[in-house]
Every structure is written in C-alpha cells, then in structure tokens.
Amino acid sequence: MSMSRARVARRIAAAAAYGGSGIGLLGGVAVGLVLTELSLAKRVVGGSESSPPRADGRYGFAFARRTGQPPLRLAFLGDSTAAGQGVHRPSQTPGALLASGLAAVAERPVDLRNVALTGAQSTDLERQVTLALDDPEQPPDVCVIMIGANDVTGRMPPAQSVRLLSEAVRRLRESGCEVVVGTCPDLGTIEPVYQPLRWIARRLSRQLAAAQTIGVVEQGGRTVSLGDLLGPEFAANPRELFGPDNYHPSAEGYATAAMAVLPTLCASLGLWPEEAPETRDEGILPVAKAAAEAAAEGGTEVTAARGPWARLLRRHRPSEAGAEPPAPAPSPPPLTH
C-alpha cells in the first residue's frame, strides 16, 4: 500500500515540477461525489462566521531581560487551521501555542506574525509569502505553513497544489528562513461525510499530503504529517477535538497539532536534540517512500538528506508520551500589528 502511495505521490510531484496536471488514485465520478459531499458537509456544519482571534505579538518577553538575546521571528501561513479558526482566545491558536513553546525551549522571546487566511487555497501562498517577507532586513527565522484541505475540497489539481506550495517554500528558503509544513489533514474525519465517501476523502487527503512532502523536502523544508494524527483521535473524540462547528479543531485539537509540530519547529533551528528519547529514527529512505509512510502516521517528520533521499523521524504523539500542551512562556497580552 505504501509503495502504491509513494508512486502516486512521486507522479504528482513530477507533474508539479514539469507543469502537468498529475495523476489521481480514483476515478472522476468518485472524486466528484466526495468533493460534493465535503462541500455539503461545510454547509451542514455551518462553519464559523467569526474571524479567528489575532495572536500576533511577542511571547516569552521575560527571556529578553534574562538573557539579553533578540527575539526569534516566527511567521505562520496557510488556511483557517493556521489562522486558528474555531477558537475564541488568541492563546488557543496554533500560532500562539507554538510561539510559546518555541520561546520556552529557546529561552528567547518570539515575535509571532500570522498572515494565514481562512478559506485560503495554495493559490494564496504567493501573497502570504510576500507579506511574510515584506521586511528584507528582518526576514522570519522560521515559517510554519498549514495548507491543503481547501485545495482538495476546491478540486484543485494536486500537481498545481504541490507546485504552488513548493514555490512558496523555495522563496522562503532563499530568504534564509527555515520552513516547516503541516501537510494536508485527514478530511475523512468530517462527521457529515459518510462511508464509502469518507474512505475516499481520506485517500485524497493522504495522496496530497505525500505529494506535498516530496515538494517541500526537495526545496529544503521539513514536513510534519497531521492527517493520521488528527484522524483517529478526532474520530474517537469528536466532541473534544472538533470545535462547535464540527469542522475546525477545538482548543484541544489545536494543542494536539501544536505538540506534533513543536519538536520539528525547534529542530529546524537546532534547538531540539535529534536523538531525543521520544523519537524513532527510521533512517534514510527514498523521499517518495518516506513521504508515503509519513502520510499514514501523524506526527511524523520528513527532512531532506542527500539527493533523492530523506530522513524519516517518528515522534510520539502527546497522548502516548503523556505530555501536556506547552505552557505559555511568561508574556503580556499579545501585541496586535
């Protein structure tokens, strides 16, 4: 199964590189049915009309007095998940959770800027990257991107989705910024989507997630798979991990995702021990195989090795390690920009 996913992911990534439309796992009729049902699901659950809370500002400001080090700059890009749609307090958004966690690990303040847009597809990444890089004298130290779900529901060809994401990662890396991408989540967990279309939605999501990984790693970024991490846990605890609209994560759901991304975020800046006891290093694999395996297990990191090879790191989920969400570093209320 993973080899089949690896082949499809590689074909999509190749089509992205050479301008093709890519290849799908499923026939057009089946894809049309599942995307129609996903669109209906959005209307059934209603979504959230309110804007996500703004969490931009400085976190861990006390570390500046203690260590005298300048703040790290963290940018957040992507769709409603990156923006924190579905929660009400800035501290509950993934950006705030990761800024607080990064500040605590680095023992430095962290300046967060979130340019994510609710409803965004990968077509919006060019605009978001331009915003994130608007100060050439102070580019972000690291960017987190969460994108893909709206590409699937919006029927964007997967090769186009991967090509746009790869271009965004390339621009960020050329500016000297580290990049961590949370790949496409598992759309098979949306409650109003029923079998067998739920299974098809899951396959479409994993197909895109694997292809995203190939594109990102080839541009020097790192990925963390969110689909399977959020999938079974959301399915088992929908009332806890989904928000009131049953479509976006709740505060607990965002904390689960943030705990999966935090080790990779810190490792990209050299702040996380690569031999941490909770990490299983699966070694060096062909990038397509690593991408396919990562898409099937949440919290899995893929980073570039040499040439067409990548390193696969499986990190324990918070529930397995008994971990709590990162406690916010001492900070005043976030300053809005």
Side-chain angles (χ1 to χ4, degrees), residues 2 39 56 152 330:
S2 65
S39 297
D56 291 28
V152 175

Side-chain angles (χ1 to χ4, degrees), residues 23-112:
I23 184 170
L25 280 172
L26 305 158
V29 173
V31 171
L33 282 172
V34 70
L35 295 179
T36 298
E37 185 145 335
L38 283 168
S39 297
L40 290 172
K42 278 188 176 182
R43 287 199 287 272
V44 168
V45 300
S48 176
E49 298 299 325
S50 61
S51 298
R54 296 293 298 171
D56 291 28
R58 181 161 296 178
Y59 293 78
F61 78 102
F63 290 118
R65 295 196 299 267
R66 189 182 311 171
T67 67
Q69 291 184 299
L72 292 167
R73 295 181 294 274
L74 168 63
F76 241 76
L77 297 79
D79 55 22
S80 57
T81 302
Q85 187 78 39
V87 295
H88 302 293
R89 294 199 293 272
S91 62
Q92 297 172 327
T93 63
L97 289 166
L98 285 171
S100 296
L102 178 59
V105 172
E107 296 188 344
R108 291 175 63 178
V110 173
D111 285 344
L112 171 67

